[in-house]
Amino acid sequence: MKVTIISDTHTKHRYCENDLPGGDLFIHAGDFMSTGYSIREAYEFFNWFDAIKTYDTKVLIAGNHDRLMENDPEKMLGVLTGYKTIEYLQDEEMVLYFDGPNGDYPEDNIHIYGSPWQPEFYNWAFNLPRNGEELKAKWNAIPDNTDILITHGPAQTYLDTAGAPYKTPLLGCELLKERIELIKPKIHVCGHIHGGYGYRFNGHTHFFNASILNEQYNYANKPFTFEWNQLTNEITWP
């Protein structure tokens, strides 16, 4: 299947329009807003994301800038019900079914799980104390059979170093790293640390930090698009 991944668009989502070739699955790993208080910003992003017709499935999670998604979840989930092509995940799983009409090949199905939480990072949304029991519980809720894991923040040591001028390493979550190394999802998608943009493979999990904006909030990083064989976990690049 052909997959495209982006994150951290911060109201600049239209900048990447020419770099979205279409395919089977389009993932946004959070931070589609700026300060997170403007309902207008949310509508503008939802309208844009919903209008993209070149992907079969589109999955969205929230990030630490998307305050409305935490502060008024009932209202925002109600808003999202009007967008039939957007699959919004907040500590939830969805399954893409490829097992035929009789369920003969369940190993072909793709289990996707999305969660917006991260260790405390200033006074933003979806923050929990680093290494605390609440955060551990969030990660323990990730199903063992997850194929594609989407979290807003990275796991520690995996694409979690801020770029210039900060150059701060190890901003990712230690507890998330432990959970990922235990359940071994095939793909982990994140953003949050803009300078951590990149790809890494550790032998069982493909890690993507898909932040399209750099530390100065300029469109500097292209969306990731690749072909993925969910059975062999092989990735090929265009």
Side-chain angles (χ1 to χ4, degrees), residues 163-209:
Y166 311 106
K167 299 184 180 178
T168 307
L170 302 179
L171 293 171
C173 180
E174 303 96 311
L175 297 176
L176 177 59
K177 177 184 178 182
E178 291 175 7
R179 184 64 176 155
I180 288 174
E181 292 183 344
L182 177 64
I183 67 174
K184 296 178 172 58
K186 295 175 181 176
I187 292 175
H188 177 227
V189 178
C190 72
H192 185 44
I193 307 301
H194 295 195
Y197 169 84
Y199 163 78
R200 180 178 168 189
F201 181 57
N202 69 355
H204 50 74
T205 299
H206 299 276
F207 293 86
F208 294 89
N209 181 322

Short mmCIF file of all heavy atoms in Angstrom, two decimals, residues 163-209:
data_model
loop_
_atom_site.label_atom_id
_atom_site.label_comp_id
_atom_site.label_asym_id
_atom_site.label_seq_id
_atom_site.Cartn_x
_atom_site.Cartn_y
_atom_site.Cartn_z
N GLY A 163 16.20 20.68 16.63
CA GLY A 163 17.15 21.25 15.67
C GLY A 163 17.67 22.60 16.13
O GLY A 163 17.34 23.09 17.21
N ALA A 164 18.49 23.19 15.28
CA ALA A 164 19.06 24.52 15.58
C ALA A 164 17.92 25.52 15.76
O ALA A 164 16.91 25.46 15.07
CB ALA A 164 19.98 24.94 14.45
N PRO A 165 18.05 26.43 16.71
CA PRO A 165 19.23 26.70 17.54
C PRO A 165 19.27 25.91 18.84
O PRO A 165 20.18 26.12 19.65
CB PRO A 165 19.09 28.19 17.84
CG PRO A 165 17.61 28.39 17.94
CD PRO A 165 17.00 27.45 16.91
N TYR A 166 18.31 24.99 19.07
CA TYR A 166 18.20 24.34 20.37
C TYR A 166 19.16 23.17 20.52
O TYR A 166 19.93 23.08 21.46
CB TYR A 166 16.75 23.89 20.60
CG TYR A 166 15.75 24.97 20.32
CD1 TYR A 166 14.96 24.94 19.17
CD2 TYR A 166 15.59 26.04 21.19
CE1 TYR A 166 14.04 25.93 18.90
CE2 TYR A 166 14.67 27.05 20.93
CZ TYR A 166 13.90 26.98 19.78
OH TYR A 166 13.01 27.98 19.52
N LYS A 167 19.09 22.24 19.57
CA LYS A 167 19.95 21.05 19.55
C LYS A 167 19.88 20.27 20.86
O LYS A 167 20.88 19.76 21.37
CB LYS A 167 21.40 21.44 19.23
CG LYS A 167 21.56 22.10 17.87
CD LYS A 167 23.01 22.39 17.54
CE LYS A 167 23.13 23.03 16.17
NZ LYS A 167 24.54 23.37 15.83
N THR A 168 18.67 20.17 21.41
CA THR A 168 18.47 19.47 22.67
C THR A 168 18.12 18.01 22.40
O THR A 168 17.15 17.73 21.70
CB THR A 168 17.33 20.13 23.48
OG1 THR A 168 17.59 21.51 23.61
CG2 THR A 168 17.20 19.48 24.84
N PRO A 169 18.89 17.06 22.93
CA PRO A 169 18.60 15.64 22.67
C PRO A 169 17.65 15.05 23.70
O PRO A 169 17.33 15.67 24.72
CB PRO A 169 19.99 15.00 22.79
CG PRO A 169 20.66 15.83 23.85
CD PRO A 169 20.14 17.24 23.66
N LEU A 170 17.21 13.81 23.42
CA LEU A 170 16.44 13.00 24.37
C LEU A 170 15.19 13.68 24.88
O LEU A 170 14.87 13.65 26.07
CB LEU A 170 17.34 12.58 25.54
CG LEU A 170 18.59 11.78 25.17
CD1 LEU A 170 19.39 11.47 26.42
CD2 LEU A 170 18.24 10.51 24.43
N LEU A 171 14.44 14.29 23.96
CA LEU A 171 13.17 14.92 24.33
C LEU A 171 12.01 13.94 24.26
O LEU A 171 10.91 14.25 24.70
CB LEU A 171 12.90 16.10 23.41
CG LEU A 171 13.86 17.29 23.56
CD1 LEU A 171 13.63 18.30 22.45
CD2 LEU A 171 13.71 17.94 24.92
N GLY A 172 12.25 12.76 23.71
CA GLY A 172 11.19 11.77 23.58
C GLY A 172 10.86 11.10 24.89
O GLY A 172 11.49 11.32 25.93
N CYS A 173 9.85 10.23 24.84
CA CYS A 173 9.30 9.59 26.03
C CYS A 173 9.96 8.23 26.28
O CYS A 173 9.91 7.35 25.41
CB CYS A 173 7.80 9.42 25.87
SG CYS A 173 7.01 8.64 27.29
N GLU A 174 10.53 8.07 27.48
CA GLU A 174 11.16 6.81 27.85
C GLU A 174 10.14 5.67 27.94
O GLU A 174 10.40 4.54 27.50
CB GLU A 174 11.86 6.94 29.20
CG GLU A 174 12.91 8.05 29.26
CD GLU A 174 12.39 9.34 29.84
OE1 GLU A 174 11.29 9.78 29.40
OE2 GLU A 174 13.05 9.90 30.73
N LEU A 175 8.97 5.98 28.52
CA LEU A 175 7.94 4.95 28.69
C LEU A 175 7.38 4.50 27.36
O LEU A 175 7.06 3.31 27.17
CB LEU A 175 6.83 5.47 29.59
CG LEU A 175 7.24 5.82 31.03
CD1 LEU A 175 6.06 6.43 31.78
CD2 LEU A 175 7.76 4.59 31.76
N LEU A 176 7.25 5.43 26.41
CA LEU A 176 6.79 5.06 25.07
C LEU A 176 7.81 4.16 24.39
O LEU A 176 7.45 3.18 23.73
CB LEU A 176 6.53 6.32 24.24
CG LEU A 176 6.11 6.10 22.79
CD1 LEU A 176 4.82 5.28 22.71
CD2 LEU A 176 5.94 7.43 22.07
N LYS A 177 9.08 4.48 24.56
CA LYS A 177 10.14 3.63 24.00
C LYS A 177 10.04 2.21 24.53
O LYS A 177 10.13 1.24 23.77
CB LYS A 177 11.50 4.22 24.32
CG LYS A 177 12.67 3.37 23.85
CD LYS A 177 14.00 3.96 24.29
CE LYS A 177 15.17 3.08 23.86
NZ LYS A 177 16.46 3.61 24.33
N GLU A 178 9.82 2.07 25.83
CA GLU A 178 9.71 0.75 26.43
C GLU A 178 8.54 -0.03 25.84
O GLU A 178 8.65 -1.23 25.56
CB GLU A 178 9.54 0.88 27.94
CG GLU A 178 10.78 1.38 28.67
CD GLU A 178 10.53 1.59 30.15
OE1 GLU A 178 9.43 1.22 30.63
OE2 GLU A 178 11.43 2.14 30.83
N ARG A 179 7.40 0.66 25.66
CA ARG A 179 6.23 -0.03 25.12
C ARG A 179 6.45 -0.43 23.66
O ARG A 179 6.10 -1.55 23.26
CB ARG A 179 5.01 0.89 25.24
CG ARG A 179 3.70 0.26 24.80
CD ARG A 179 3.32 -0.91 25.66
NE ARG A 179 2.00 -1.46 25.28
CZ ARG A 179 1.62 -2.70 25.51
NH1 ARG A 179 2.44 -3.55 26.13
NH2 ARG A 179 0.44 -3.13 25.14
N ILE A 180 7.05 0.45 22.89
CA ILE A 180 7.30 0.13 21.48
C ILE A 180 8.26 -1.04 21.36
O ILE A 180 8.06 -1.94 20.53
CB ILE A 180 7.85 1.38 20.75
CG1 ILE A 180 6.74 2.42 20.56
CG2 ILE A 180 8.48 1.00 19.40
CD1 ILE A 180 7.21 3.72 19.98
N GLU A 181 9.30 -1.05 22.15
CA GLU A 181 10.28 -2.14 22.06
C GLU A 181 9.70 -3.46 22.55
O GLU A 181 10.19 -4.52 22.19
CB GLU A 181 11.54 -1.76 22.83
CG GLU A 181 12.29 -0.61 22.15
CD GLU A 181 13.59 -0.24 22.83
OE1 GLU A 181 13.79 -0.66 24.00
OE2 GLU A 181 14.40 0.47 22.21
N LEU A 182 8.61 -3.39 23.34
CA LEU A 182 7.95 -4.61 23.78
C LEU A 182 7.00 -5.16 22.73
O LEU A 182 7.04 -6.34 22.40
CB LEU A 182 7.18 -4.34 25.08
CG LEU A 182 6.37 -5.51 25.64
CD1 LEU A 182 7.30 -6.66 26.06
CD2 LEU A 182 5.51 -5.06 26.81
N ILE A 183 6.14 -4.29 22.17
CA ILE A 183 5.10 -4.79 21.25
C ILE A 183 5.54 -4.77 19.80
O ILE A 183 4.91 -5.39 18.95
CB ILE A 183 3.78 -4.01 21.43
CG1 ILE A 183 3.93 -2.56 20.98
CG2 ILE A 183 3.30 -4.10 22.87
CD1 ILE A 183 2.62 -1.77 21.01
N LYS A 184 6.59 -4.02 19.48
CA LYS A 184 7.19 -3.99 18.14
C LYS A 184 6.19 -3.70 17.02
O LYS A 184 5.98 -4.53 16.12
CB LYS A 184 7.92 -5.31 17.86
CG LYS A 184 9.11 -5.57 18.78
CD LYS A 184 9.76 -6.90 18.48
CE LYS A 184 11.05 -7.09 19.27
NZ LYS A 184 10.87 -7.00 20.74
N PRO A 185 5.56 -2.54 17.03
CA PRO A 185 4.73 -2.18 15.87
C PRO A 185 5.59 -2.11 14.62
O PRO A 185 6.80 -1.87 14.70
CB PRO A 185 4.17 -0.81 16.25
CG PRO A 185 5.18 -0.25 17.21
CD PRO A 185 5.69 -1.43 17.99
N LYS A 186 4.98 -2.29 13.49
CA LYS A 186 5.75 -2.25 12.24
C LYS A 186 6.16 -0.83 11.88
O LYS A 186 7.25 -0.61 11.33
CB LYS A 186 4.92 -2.88 11.12
CG LYS A 186 4.67 -4.36 11.34
CD LYS A 186 3.74 -4.94 10.29
CE LYS A 186 3.50 -6.43 10.55
NZ LYS A 186 2.52 -7.02 9.59
N ILE A 187 5.28 0.12 12.19
CA ILE A 187 5.54 1.54 11.89
C ILE A 187 5.17 2.37 13.10
O ILE A 187 4.13 2.15 13.72
CB ILE A 187 4.74 2.01 10.66
CG1 ILE A 187 5.25 1.34 9.38
CG2 ILE A 187 4.79 3.53 10.51
CD1 ILE A 187 4.42 1.65 8.15
N HIS A 188 6.03 3.33 13.45
CA HIS A 188 5.68 4.34 14.46
C HIS A 188 5.80 5.71 13.81
O HIS A 188 6.85 6.07 13.27
CB HIS A 188 6.60 4.27 15.68
CG HIS A 188 6.30 5.35 16.68
ND1 HIS A 188 7.29 6.13 17.25
CD2 HIS A 188 5.12 5.80 17.19
CE1 HIS A 188 6.74 7.00 18.09
NE2 HIS A 188 5.42 6.82 18.06
N VAL A 189 4.72 6.47 13.87
CA VAL A 189 4.65 7.81 13.30
C VAL A 189 4.55 8.82 14.42
O VAL A 189 3.74 8.66 15.34
CB VAL A 189 3.42 7.95 12.37
CG1 VAL A 189 3.34 9.36 11.81
CG2 VAL A 189 3.47 6.93 11.25
N CYS A 190 5.34 9.90 14.34
CA CYS A 190 5.26 10.96 15.33
C CYS A 190 5.62 12.29 14.68
O CYS A 190 5.86 12.37 13.48
CB CYS A 190 6.19 10.69 16.51
SG CYS A 190 7.95 10.89 16.14
N GLY A 191 5.66 13.33 15.50
CA GLY A 191 6.10 14.66 15.09
C GLY A 191 6.60 15.36 16.32
O GLY A 191 7.48 14.86 17.00
N HIS A 192 6.04 16.54 16.62
CA HIS A 192 6.25 17.27 17.87
C HIS A 192 7.62 17.94 17.96
O HIS A 192 7.71 19.15 18.16
CB HIS A 192 6.03 16.32 19.05
CG HIS A 192 6.10 16.96 20.40
ND1 HIS A 192 5.48 18.17 20.69
CD2 HIS A 192 6.71 16.57 21.55
CE1 HIS A 192 5.72 18.48 21.96
NE2 HIS A 192 6.46 17.54 22.50
N ILE A 193 8.69 17.18 17.84
CA ILE A 193 10.05 17.74 17.88
C ILE A 193 10.47 18.01 16.44
O ILE A 193 10.94 17.11 15.73
CB ILE A 193 11.03 16.78 18.58
CG1 ILE A 193 10.50 16.39 19.97
CG2 ILE A 193 12.42 17.42 18.67
CD1 ILE A 193 10.27 17.56 20.91
N HIS A 194 10.28 19.24 15.99
CA HIS A 194 10.45 19.55 14.57
C HIS A 194 11.83 19.18 14.07
O HIS A 194 11.98 18.66 12.96
CB HIS A 194 10.20 21.04 14.33
CG HIS A 194 8.80 21.49 14.59
ND1 HIS A 194 8.30 22.70 14.16
CD2 HIS A 194 7.77 20.89 15.25
CE1 HIS A 194 7.04 22.83 14.53
NE2 HIS A 194 6.69 21.75 15.20
N GLY A 195 12.85 19.43 14.87
CA GLY A 195 14.20 19.13 14.44
C GLY A 195 14.52 17.66 14.37
O GLY A 195 15.57 17.26 13.84
N GLY A 196 13.62 16.82 14.88
CA GLY A 196 13.81 15.38 14.81
C GLY A 196 13.32 14.75 13.52
O GLY A 196 13.37 13.52 13.37
N TYR A 197 12.85 15.58 12.58
CA TYR A 197 12.34 15.08 11.30
C TYR A 197 13.30 14.05 10.71
O TYR A 197 14.51 14.28 10.63
CB TYR A 197 12.16 16.23 10.33
CG TYR A 197 11.88 15.83 8.89
CD1 TYR A 197 10.59 15.53 8.47
CD2 TYR A 197 12.91 15.75 7.96
CE1 TYR A 197 10.32 15.17 7.16
CE2 TYR A 197 12.65 15.39 6.64
CZ TYR A 197 11.36 15.10 6.25
OH TYR A 197 11.12 14.74 4.95
N GLY A 198 12.74 12.92 10.30
CA GLY A 198 13.58 11.92 9.68
C GLY A 198 12.99 10.52 9.78
O GLY A 198 11.85 10.33 10.24
N TYR A 199 13.79 9.55 9.35
CA TYR A 199 13.38 8.14 9.30
C TYR A 199 14.48 7.28 9.91
O TYR A 199 15.67 7.56 9.73
CB TYR A 199 13.13 7.71 7.86
CG TYR A 199 13.12 6.21 7.65
CD1 TYR A 199 12.00 5.46 8.01
CD2 TYR A 199 14.23 5.55 7.13
CE1 TYR A 199 11.98 4.08 7.85
CE2 TYR A 199 14.21 4.17 6.95
CZ TYR A 199 13.09 3.44 7.32
OH TYR A 199 13.08 2.08 7.16
N ARG A 200 14.06 6.25 10.62
CA ARG A 200 15.00 5.30 11.21
C ARG A 200 14.34 3.93 11.29
O ARG A 200 13.13 3.84 11.54
CB ARG A 200 15.43 5.77 12.60
CG ARG A 200 16.42 4.84 13.30
CD ARG A 200 16.83 5.41 14.64
NE ARG A 200 17.54 4.43 15.44
CZ ARG A 200 17.86 4.60 16.72
NH1 ARG A 200 17.56 5.73 17.33
NH2 ARG A 200 18.49 3.65 17.39
N PHE A 201 15.12 2.89 11.09
CA PHE A 201 14.62 1.51 11.20
C PHE A 201 15.51 0.76 12.17
O PHE A 201 16.74 0.77 12.02
CB PHE A 201 14.62 0.83 9.83
CG PHE A 201 14.10 -0.58 9.83
CD1 PHE A 201 12.83 -0.86 10.31
CD2 PHE A 201 14.88 -1.62 9.36
CE1 PHE A 201 12.33 -2.16 10.30
CE2 PHE A 201 14.39 -2.92 9.35
CZ PHE A 201 13.11 -3.20 9.82
N ASN A 202 14.93 0.13 13.18
CA ASN A 202 15.74 -0.57 14.18
C ASN A 202 15.72 -2.09 14.03
O ASN A 202 16.11 -2.81 14.94
CB ASN A 202 15.29 -0.19 15.60
CG ASN A 202 13.91 -0.73 15.96
OD1 ASN A 202 13.21 -1.32 15.14
ND2 ASN A 202 13.50 -0.54 17.21
N GLY A 203 15.23 -2.56 12.87
CA GLY A 203 15.19 -3.99 12.63
C GLY A 203 13.80 -4.59 12.72
O GLY A 203 13.54 -5.64 12.14
N HIS A 204 12.90 -3.91 13.43
CA HIS A 204 11.52 -4.39 13.48
C HIS A 204 10.49 -3.27 13.36
O HIS A 204 9.37 -3.50 12.94
CB HIS A 204 11.25 -5.19 14.76
CG HIS A 204 11.69 -4.51 16.04
ND1 HIS A 204 11.02 -3.45 16.60
CD2 HIS A 204 12.74 -4.77 16.85
CE1 HIS A 204 11.62 -3.08 17.71
NE2 HIS A 204 12.68 -3.85 17.89
N THR A 205 10.87 -2.01 13.69
CA THR A 205 9.94 -0.89 13.59
C THR A 205 10.53 0.21 12.73
O THR A 205 11.69 0.59 12.90
CB THR A 205 9.61 -0.31 14.99
OG1 THR A 205 9.00 -1.32 15.80
CG2 THR A 205 8.66 0.87 14.88
N HIS A 206 9.73 0.70 11.78
CA HIS A 206 10.09 1.87 10.98
C HIS A 206 9.61 3.11 11.74
O HIS A 206 8.41 3.27 11.98
CB HIS A 206 9.41 1.83 9.61
CG HIS A 206 9.80 0.66 8.77
ND1 HIS A 206 10.93 0.63 7.99
CD2 HIS A 206 9.19 -0.55 8.59
CE1 HIS A 206 11.02 -0.52 7.35
NE2 HIS A 206 9.97 -1.26 7.69
N PHE A 207 10.54 3.99 12.10
CA PHE A 207 10.22 5.20 12.84
C PHE A 207 10.23 6.40 11.89
O PHE A 207 11.19 6.59 11.15
CB PHE A 207 11.23 5.44 13.96
CG PHE A 207 11.19 4.43 15.07
CD1 PHE A 207 11.91 3.25 14.97
CD2 PHE A 207 10.43 4.66 16.21
CE1 PHE A 207 11.89 2.31 16.00
CE2 PHE A 207 10.39 3.73 17.24
CZ PHE A 207 11.12 2.56 17.13
N PHE A 208 9.16 7.20 11.97
CA PHE A 208 9.07 8.42 11.18
C PHE A 208 8.74 9.60 12.09
O PHE A 208 7.75 9.56 12.82
CB PHE A 208 7.95 8.32 10.13
CG PHE A 208 8.18 7.32 9.06
CD1 PHE A 208 7.76 6.01 9.22
CD2 PHE A 208 8.82 7.67 7.88
CE1 PHE A 208 7.96 5.06 8.23
CE2 PHE A 208 9.02 6.74 6.87
CZ PHE A 208 8.60 5.43 7.05
N ASN A 209 9.58 10.62 12.07
CA ASN A 209 9.19 11.93 12.61
C ASN A 209 8.85 12.77 11.38
O ASN A 209 9.73 13.11 10.58
CB ASN A 209 10.31 12.57 13.41
CG ASN A 209 9.90 13.92 14.01
OD1 ASN A 209 9.19 14.70 13.39
ND2 ASN A 209 10.37 14.21 15.20
#
